[in-house]
Structure formats: C-alpha cells, structure tokens
Amino acid sequence: MGKLFGTDGVRGIINEELTPELALRLGMAIGTYFGEGSKILIGRDIRAGGEMIKAAVIAGLLSSGVKVYDAGLTPTPALQYVVKTMDFDGGVMITASHNPSKYNGIKVISSYGIEVPREDERKIEEIFFEQRFRRAHWTALIHDVKPYPYVNDIYVKAVVDKVDKELIRKKEFRIVIDPANSVGALTSPRIAKELGVKVYTVNGHLDPTFPGREPEPIPEHLTETSKAVLSINADFGVAHDGDADRAIFIDDKGRVQWGDRTATLLAKYLAIKHPEFPKKVYTAVSSSTVIEDVLKPLGIEVVWLKVGSVDISWTMERNKDALCGFEENGGFMYPPHQLVRDGGMTLALMLELLASENKKLSELYDELPQYHLIKTKIPMSRDKALKVVERVKEHFKGYRQITIDGVKVISNDFWVLVRPSGTEPLLRIMLEAKTEEKAKELLEIVKNIAEEVLKSS
Ligand code: MG
C-alpha cells in the first residue's frame, strides 16, 4: 500500500509531485470517504498552485456527490473553527503550512475541526490506491459550488470574544505582525485592531512568491521582523507560518522566543486566571522541560506525547481534560476555542496575558528558567537511528526516561531528546542544559554514540 499522508497532510512540490491529476484523485477519495451528500468546506492559503489544486480537489469531491462550499483564502485554524462550529461534515485545506514556497499540500479536516486521525488517513489512502471511488449518479451532481465568504469574519469574532477586550484596549499596545505574506494577513491584524491594538505589519501583503521571508517562523527568517519591533518600540512582534496556525513571538528586546517558552507563559497565566480549568497540559517530547519546572508547583501535570500536532489534538479531544496543548514550534491549542493550533487565538491570548501584567514581555520571558538549547540532526537510516536511541537509553540508565518517541532523558539541570525523524532518514537531537558547557558535553556524548553506531555494520 502506498503512502500519501506525511505528518501533516499530503505535501509536494507544486506541479511536480503535487499535480492536478493527483489532487483530482485525492479529491475523489476524500469525497468517497465523507460520503454522498456530505457538506465540505474548502479553503486555501496564498501559495502558488492553490487555485489549480483546489479546482482539482473540488472536481473530485463533486464527482463523489459531496456538496462543496468554498471559503476562499483563509488560515487553516479559521477553516477548522468554522467546520467545527457550523453545519459541516468536514473540510479540506490547500496549504503546505511552513514549507518552502515551491510546496503546496492538502489537509483533510474532520467534523471536529481536527485533521482526520491517522487511521482515517489510511482509509483515504486505501480508496485512492485501490481506486474504489464512489461516482455519484448524475442527479447528485446538480449542486453548484457555493461561495462561503464568511469564514474569516466568523473566526475573527470568535477569537476576539474569547479574551478580555476592555482589559486589552486600555493598554493601547503597539505590535508588529508578520504573516509571511500569506493568509494570516487576512485575520491577525483584524483581531489585534478589534482589541484596540495599533498594528504595524511586516510582509503584510499577500504574495505567493513569499518575497519577505520563507514561511517558517524561525529565528533565521525573522531578523528583519525583530528589527521592526525594535525600531518602532513595539510591545512585541508576532510571526506566523504560511497558514497561520503557528505564532512565534518576538519580545520588546527584539528576541525571537521559542514556542515552548511562550506556551509556558500562557499555560501559567491560564492556570492562575482560571483555577476552574483542567490541570493537564499536553505537548510533544520535543518541548522543553521548562514547562514542568514552571507548572508543577501550580499542580499542573505535563503529559508528554509523540511529535505531531494531530496526535496532541486527538488526545485532548478524547481525554477532555486539557488546560492547553502546544508544540515547541509555535503551535498553541486553547480548548475553550478549539483543540488545534491557532495563531490568531494565540496572539489574542498573549495580548490578554500582557495586559494583565505590569511588566514588559521581555521581563516575563526572563523570569522563566534559562536553558542553553541545541537542536541538530545527523543523517542516518531509521534502523541506525533506532540503535542510537537504544544506546542512549543504556548510557543514561538510572535517569528519568520518556520513550514514547525515541528517548527523552530528563535530569534536574538538563534534558536530551534523541529520536528518528518521522519523515526523513535522520536522527534528530534536541537538548537543553543550564550551562553551555553542559549542553556541549551532552551533545558530544550523543554524537559519539551515533558515530559508533554509524561505524558498526
Ligand atoms: Mg502551519
């Protein structure tokens, strides 16, 4: 059986790997999976090829007898929110999220507003490869595609309604928003403006060539955005990825802050402000243990999961006991709104947090325990990577270990995560330590183990 879905939908280089033919057949498989008469909402980000892929998917959906509603240009979390709260059976989002500009992709959204679970991706793949397409009778093909241009409006209102507007308005914040020239530009500035915030945008016009920066909001891509934050003396900056489900913050000192540090601030704020909320935070093993340092004293348990936001979302949906969920890359999930990563909601929560404190954002980040972070990767086969994982377990015997995805070793003053990549022949290494020396020492240990494994046949 072939495989189409990666960790986050179907992705490929536009017109080379992700062709209209493939999109058409995938649309037929998705339509067959949802069933005749289902109401499906489809939207896209600004990427090149978006209209082409969307038209092909729509043709496939219609062929199977599905009723299609077109949301136009919209962030993934906006489409997800509307699928969840309005009368839709599912959704399709045309996006390659944070990937470089030559990529596009297709995500399938369940009626819960969460990407369909892994086992349902397999079902869609089976229909696709076995060509078990349902072809509707002509009498089911009488429906036109209906424009549904309300998604961004519904979403902006929903986000704004979930925070303390008056509290935020009083502060007269000034912020920089960098939506990476994509669909976050249609919603995040509006969210901030409705909260009385003065908004300056960087990379704020829609442009599929991504002239300002690559769509992945990582420090290397955000130097100009940081400069903008400093030059206008903003309270902070926020940068999204291509479909605006991720939000990475830049503090008032122009420092780009990782998503796990931001999530730690937000989770602590929510736990204190809402003592009635559940006491569990869900995240992947790739997040910093700083979250445990800060939340344990507040009686909040951190639940460590495999890497991948979809698994975090479905675990939260099943257990219904999450204060919040997050990924270290800037994906934050706020259950009273929805259980998926949501860049606009994260921005609104950050504004409320800052409005409730009489401190600068840089001070809040500086109050968190400081660690020295190293993230790296070593090319090797999955088999070898698994061997390295076993040897690392052996080396750190006696330490607390989480083995749900590779191995994460946790001590009082450091943690190390070693795991095979889910998508590429790579060993991923992430570690944090209280000092730079300790961090380098830990990296050496893991590198030596990896070298030994690579030498052995
Ligand atoms: Mg994304």
Side-chain angles (χ1 to χ4, degrees):
M1 174 68 62
K3 209 165 159 19
L4 288 170
F5 289 90
T7 34
D8 220 339
V10 178
R11 299 267 172 92
I13 297 171
I14 304 157
N15 239 359
E16 287 180 31
E17 298 157 345
L18 187 62
T19 58
E21 300 96 298
L22 184 142
L24 171 67
R25 287 154 53 92
L26 187 55
M28 290 161 75
I30 295 167
T32 305
Y33 161 79
F34 279 110
E36 187 173 324
S38 303
K39 293 171 72 179
I40 302 298
L41 183 65
I42 190 166
R44 71 172 181 97
D45 69 12
I46 194 62
R47 282 171 188 275
E51 275 302 300
M52 172 184 82
I53 298 299
K54 190 177 78 177
V57 171
I58 287 176
L61 290 171
L62 291 172
S63 157
S64 61
V66 161
K67 292 177 187 157
V68 178
Y69 295 77
D70 186 356
L73 290 168
T74 190
T76 299
L79 184 111
Q80 288 176 304
Y81 182 79
V82 171
V83 166
K84 179 188 77 140
T85 54
M86 308 301 275
D87 186 27
F88 289 102
D89 299 299
V92 177
M93 182 69 198
I94 312 299
T95 176
S97 184
H98 61 280
N99 288 160
S101 34
K102 64 181 174 183
Y103 286 85
N104 212 327
I106 300 168
K107 280 187 188 193
V108 186
I109 312 296
S110 75
S111 61
Y112 291 83
I114 306 170
E115 289 88 339
V116 294
R118 300 282 170 223
E119 55 271 26
D120 287 34
E121 287 181 349
R122 296 304 290 169
K123 281 182 201 163
I124 295 168
E125 281 170 345
E126 275 169 32
I127 300 167
F128 180 95
F129 287 110
E130 292 168 10
Q131 305 195 41
R132 286 192 284 103
F133 305 123
R134 183 193 160 77
R135 292 177 200 270
H137 188 256
W138 72 267
T139 51
L141 301 180
I142 57 172
H143 304 285
D144 289 337
V145 174
K146 290 198 177 63
Y148 196 86
Y150 324 110
V151 171
N152 295 341
D153 295 348
I154 295 169
Y155 169 74
V156 167
K157 182 173 185 314
V159 168
V160 169
D161 284 349
K162 285 185 188 75
V163 290
D164 189 336
K165 279 176 234 164
E166 291 319 309
L167 180 72
I168 298 168
R169 277 205 185 108
K170 272 186 227 145
K171 293 286 181 163
E172 298 181 351
F173 289 129
R174 296 145 48 85
I175 68 168
V176 171
I177 297 178
D178 175 354
N181 296 108
S182 191
V183 285
L186 300 171
T187 48
S188 283
R190 282 178 61 190
I191 290 167
K193 217 177 142 189
E194 293 205 13
L195 294 169
V197 174
K198 186 162 185 191
V199 177
Y200 298 80
T201 53
V202 171
N203 305 320
H205 67 285
L206 296 174
D207 188 333
T209 65
F210 296 98
R213 65 167 167 94
E214 287 292 338
E216 187 170 22
I218 50 175
E220 303 85 291
H221 296 158
L222 298 176
T223 42
E224 287 180 17
T225 318
S226 299
K227 278 184 204 157
V229 169
L230 289 173
S231 72
I232 63 158
N233 234 330
D235 291 289
F236 65 82
V238 61
H240 294 309
D241 65 332
D243 63 338
D245 54 359
R246 283 160 61 171
I248 285 288
F249 290 87
I250 299 163
D251 69 21
D252 49 282
K253 288 187 174 168
R255 298 174 302 183
V256 179
Q257 300 283 351
W258 279 113
D260 41 12
R261 296 182 72 78
T262 301
T264 300
L265 290 181
L266 290 172
K268 181 183 169 193
Y269 168 70
L270 293 172
I272 292 168
K273 187 182 174 216
H274 298 287
E276 76 281 12
F277 277 11
K279 304 258 180 271
K280 279 187 190 168
V281 173
Y282 289 82
T283 189
V285 285
S286 49
S287 296
S288 172
T289 53
V290 76
I291 184 97
E292 279 190 346
D293 298 349
V294 173
L295 293 190
K296 251 193 191 153
L298 297 171
I300 306 287
E301 183 192 344
V302 177
V303 182
W304 298 100
L305 299 171
K306 273 167 55 173
V307 173
S309 80
V310 180
D311 291 312
I312 298 175
S313 294
W314 280 111
T315 307
M316 294 200 306
E317 169 63 40
R318 269 195 308 276
N319 296 353
K320 298 192 168 45
D321 61 355
L323 172 69
C324 61
F326 71 93
E327 287 186 310
E328 96 288 348
N329 61 19
F332 187 81
M333 307 150 182
Y334 181 51
H337 177 60
Q338 59 179 346
L339 296 172
V340 292
R341 298 172 296 188
D342 189 322
M345 187 70 242
T346 311
L347 164 60
L349 286 171
M350 180 56 101
L351 287 165
E352 189 185 277
L353 178 158
L354 196 59
S356 75
E357 303 271 357
N358 281 318
K359 285 176 181 163
K360 287 177 179 285
L361 189 53
S362 56
E363 296 176 82
L364 294 174
Y365 280 114
D366 286 342
E367 285 171 6
L368 295 175
Q370 297 296 323
Y371 281 95
H372 189 84
L373 169 71
I374 299 179
K375 255 185 183 188
T376 185
K377 58 196 173 189
I378 303 174
M380 68 176 74
S381 70
R382 189 176 169 83
D383 280 355
K384 296 250 177 198
L386 288 170
K387 270 187 198 150
V388 176
V389 168
E390 285 312 310
R391 297 223 188 154
V392 169
K393 278 187 200 169
E394 192 60 32
H395 183 93
F396 289 99
K397 214 159 61 184
Y399 286 87
R400 181 179 163 208
Q401 297 190 355
I402 298 170
T403 53
I404 196 157
D405 190 352
V407 61
K408 183 172 193 167
V409 179
I410 302 176
S411 172
N412 288 332
D413 56 352
F414 72 84
W415 62 271
V416 185
L417 172 69
V418 180
R419 66 180 191 96
S421 158
T423 48
E424 296 159 276
L426 289 176
L427 179 77
R428 293 199 182 278
I429 303 166
M430 279 178 86
L431 58 93
E432 278 191 326
K434 286 267 150 98
T435 63
E436 191 176 349
E437 296 72 53
K438 181 75 185 170
K440 284 182 176 161
E441 184 192 316
L442 288 162
L443 181 64
E444 273 315 298
I445 292 171
V446 178
K447 272 189 167 167
N448 286 339
I449 293 173
E451 264 167 39
E452 276 172 31
V453 169
L454 280 172
K455 269 186 227 151
S456 69
S457 52

